[in-house]
Amino acid sequence: MKKFITAALLCCTVIVSAQQKSPDALRTAVAKAEAAAENPKKAVAPATWIKIGKAYMDAYNAPAGQLWLGASLNEIQLISAGQTPISQEDVVLSGVPYLKQVYADKNLYFGANGQLQMIEVTAPVFEDALSLALKAYAKAGEVDVKQSKKKEIDAALQDIAQKYLTEGLNEYTLGRLDRSSVKFEKAAEASATAPLCVVDTTALYNAGFTAWMDATNTADSLAAVAKFDRARVFFEKCAENNYFYEDGEVYAKLHDVYKHLGDNEKAKSVIEAGFSQFPQSQSILISLINFYIENHEDPNKLFALLDVAIQNEPNNASLYYVKGNIYNELADKTEDPTEKANLKAQAKASYYKCAEINPDYEYGFIGAGVMYYNDAVVLSEKASNEYDDKKYEALVKEFEQYLKDAIEPFEKAYAITKSVDIKNSVALYLKNIYYRFSSQSDEYLALYKKYDEIVKQSQQ
């Protein structure tokens, strides 16, 4: 989420005011601009409303002054003309450490690199300056029948939308998810305002995501339902505009929302639609499998949906990788040893089928290797909690067999992949496996040393 929002705000790195004015002077400027609009002749001129919008924007920007994101502590001391913070403290927001400086009208947050990362205005000149500016520019667009000021009005609306996006990110960082969702909603509204009329799917997704996060963190069931319903509105708007975020994540979120709202039919239809369009999405796949199991649906329907995708793209090796994932997930959810073994075998066959379709496709072998490795980890945990010596020895033997089963697919993946990052990741798995057996033979010891050296070099 944070990566997504941050990417959307790269152009919002500067908040600057050409000349600092007192709050009283800014309020006076707004009052004069609004008084002019009371004149019927001036009220039909777009320039009148543009002036009101600018006055409110000047008031909005005033507390930040000439500060800009990315400024160093030394630069801010120079710009602040000798002003010093009232207090400062180290804080942690969303798991990230910051230095927080408190001023009379704002809080400044500096990252570990000493650069300004966030400005939190605590004493605005007007509580709703952005909203009032938005109304003024919307009115300017309304009376600009000749569209002579369209370019200027559009730029102002874009600026307001970006400022709302920045505020949304700030609220998200501060952990105020409900406020964050509202700010992102307002960003979308600003972009959609005439004459700009742009559907900002970034803002819509962010509004939905933060509402969804807020709902999942809300203990009160009635309050949570209302928040899930709020998230639904924004995710549905994303879908209406054919925006599904990375790997169709909007489908997975809508599915979860419908489940919490008690609408299983919609939950089912939306996740099946998502799977049809994004069969490689792990979040969609897991949501679909869990839903089928929870609702006692026939798992074969999953394969029927996937077979349609395979028929459309018979040479797409990744679809067999997905098939392997389905078998593996189903295997992990059954307690029947025979059924589990059969499903694991089918998972391996599907993973290996990938290489038959595309010899350069490494992910099938990786899928098989990870499957066996993860199964070994589970057995290792069981063994560590087993006090019966015979049962313990049986679990260790099974654990070691799974590790050995993982060797072949990992070695095949390492041999065919052209990606350095993937080679390094696979090498780490192989290093750990060979270390387990390094005392059993010189061959295993040599292989451990080989991959240990590769891992060391990748970390330099």
Side-chain angles (χ1 to χ4, degrees):
M1 168 64 178
K2 194 162 187 178
K3 167 187 167 185
F4 177 75
I5 298 176
T6 304
L9 300 176
L10 287 177
C11 56
C12 301
T13 56
V14 178
I15 301 180
V16 63
S17 176
Q19 183 177 357
Q20 195 77 9
K21 294 182 180 179
S22 69
D24 286 341
L26 292 163
R27 294 188 191 99
T28 298
V30 167
K32 286 182 178 179
E34 289 186 329
E38 295 176 6
N39 184 320
K41 291 184 178 180
K42 292 185 178 181
V44 296
T48 299
W49 298 99
I50 290 174
K51 188 173 183 179
I52 294 174
K54 286 181 177 179
Y56 275 118
M57 291 306 293
D58 286 344
Y60 173 84
N61 290 324
Q66 294 180 326
L67 305 182
W68 70 93
L69 301 185
S72 67
L73 282 163
N74 289 336
E75 288 172 323
I76 287 176
Q77 287 176 353
L78 290 172
I79 294 168
S80 299
Q83 288 185 348
T84 56
I86 298 170
S87 64
Q88 67 179 34
E89 62 178 323
D90 293 321
V91 297
V92 177
L93 304 175
S94 300
V96 178
Y98 294 89
L99 170 66
K100 175 184 177 182
Q101 289 190 342
V102 178
Y103 289 80
D105 57 356
K106 58 186 169 285
N107 297 327
L108 305 183
Y109 295 84
F110 297 86
N113 59 3
Q115 294 180 332
L116 181 61
Q117 300 295 315
M118 182 170 66
I119 302 171
E120 178 192 14
V121 174
T122 55
V125 179
F126 292 96
E127 287 294 337
D128 54 352
L130 275 184
S131 176
L132 294 169
L134 178 59
K135 288 180 180 179
Y137 282 112
K139 184 65 177 180
E142 181 185 324
V143 300
D144 186 23
V145 292
K146 295 182 179 180
Q147 295 193 329
S148 60
K149 299 291 185 180
K150 185 181 186 308
K151 185 175 180 181
E152 183 178 359
I153 297 170
D154 282 353
L157 293 173
Q158 289 172 336
D159 183 41
I160 292 171
Q162 291 291 351
K163 283 178 166 52
Y164 271 130
L165 282 174
T166 301
E167 288 194 2
L169 176 59
N170 288 351
E171 297 290 3
Y172 174 80
T173 303
L174 291 165
R176 300 192 287 244
L177 296 172
D178 53 344
R179 296 186 188 182
S180 177
S181 182
V182 170
K183 296 296 185 182
F184 288 130
E185 178 185 15
K186 289 183 177 296
E189 290 176 355
S191 291
T193 299
L196 184 59
C197 298
V198 171
V199 177
D200 188 343
T201 51
T202 295
L204 289 173
Y205 180 83
N206 289 346
F209 181 85
T210 45
W212 174 81
M213 280 191 70
D214 191 24
T216 58
N217 293 333
T218 300
D220 186 295
S221 58
L222 289 177
V225 166
K227 292 174 181 181
F228 276 120
D229 195 53
R230 173 180 171 80
R232 173 192 61 78
V233 171
F234 297 112
F235 288 137
E236 285 183 347
K237 286 182 179 178
C238 287
E240 288 168 7
N241 288 279
N242 295 314
Y243 180 78
F244 300 103
Y245 191 38
E246 295 178 0
D247 291 331
E249 188 63 24
V250 168
Y251 281 118
K253 290 294 184 290
L254 263 178
H255 167 76
D256 187 67
V257 165
Y258 286 135
K259 279 178 57 180
H260 281 94
L261 295 177
D263 193 337
N264 275 3
E265 284 302 313
K266 281 194 173 181
K268 179 182 177 182
S269 64
V270 75
I271 201 65
E272 287 181 346
F275 184 69
S276 296
Q277 192 170 342
F278 298 94
Q280 293 123 319
S281 168
Q282 193 68 6
S283 62
I284 289 177
L285 175 61
I286 291 173
S287 295
L288 186 57
I289 291 173
N290 288 338
F291 183 82
Y292 271 39
I293 292 173
E294 290 166 6
N295 292 276
H296 307 290
E297 296 274 349
D298 182 1
N300 287 321
K301 291 181 181 179
L302 289 168
F303 298 106
L305 290 169
L306 184 58
D307 285 342
V308 172
I310 291 174
Q311 288 172 14
N312 293 332
E313 297 182 80
N315 296 321
N316 187 342
S318 67
L319 295 177
Y320 287 93
Y321 172 77
V322 173
K323 201 167 192 175
N325 286 343
I326 295 176
Y327 281 123
N328 188 34
E329 290 288 341
L330 290 173
D332 288 340
K333 293 182 181 300
T334 182
E335 298 298 327
D336 185 317
T338 302
E339 183 182 10
K340 184 185 289 288
N342 288 336
L343 288 168
K344 291 289 184 178
Q346 292 181 81
K348 179 183 178 181
S350 297
Y351 287 136
Y352 274 58
K353 181 72 173 178
C354 295
E356 293 181 26
I357 300 297
N358 180 0
D360 295 326
Y361 186 81
E362 65 269 66
Y363 291 102
F365 290 129
I366 292 172
V370 170
M371 177 181 71
Y372 287 126
Y373 190 91
N374 288 344
D375 289 343
V377 170
V378 171
L379 286 167
S380 175
E381 292 173 354
K382 284 184 179 180
S384 66
N385 294 317
E386 181 56 65
Y387 295 100
D388 184 288
D389 288 343
K390 289 186 177 180
K391 291 181 179 179
Y392 171 79
E393 289 174 3
L395 287 170
V396 169
K397 185 177 180 180
E398 192 177 1
F399 155 73
E400 291 186 339
Q401 185 57 53
Y402 275 121
L403 282 184
K404 289 180 178 179
D405 288 342
I407 290 175
E408 182 193 49
F410 276 141
E411 287 283 10
K412 287 179 179 292
Y414 188 88
I416 66 175
T417 187
K418 297 178 176 62
S419 167
V420 174
D421 289 338
I422 293 177
K423 278 188 178 293
N424 292 335
S425 296
V426 173
L428 182 58
Y429 279 109
L430 288 168
K431 168 198 167 182
N432 293 338
I433 294 170
Y434 286 129
Y435 176 75
R436 173 71 186 185
F437 306 113
S438 60
S439 62
Q440 296 183 9
S441 72
D442 291 340
E443 180 184 0
Y444 281 133
L445 178 60
L447 287 166
Y448 162 69
K449 290 180 177 179
K450 169 188 172 181
Y451 287 108
D452 180 50
E453 183 62 27
I454 291 170
V455 171
K456 286 178 180 177
Q457 290 179 2
S458 71
Q459 294 173 343
Q460 291 178 352

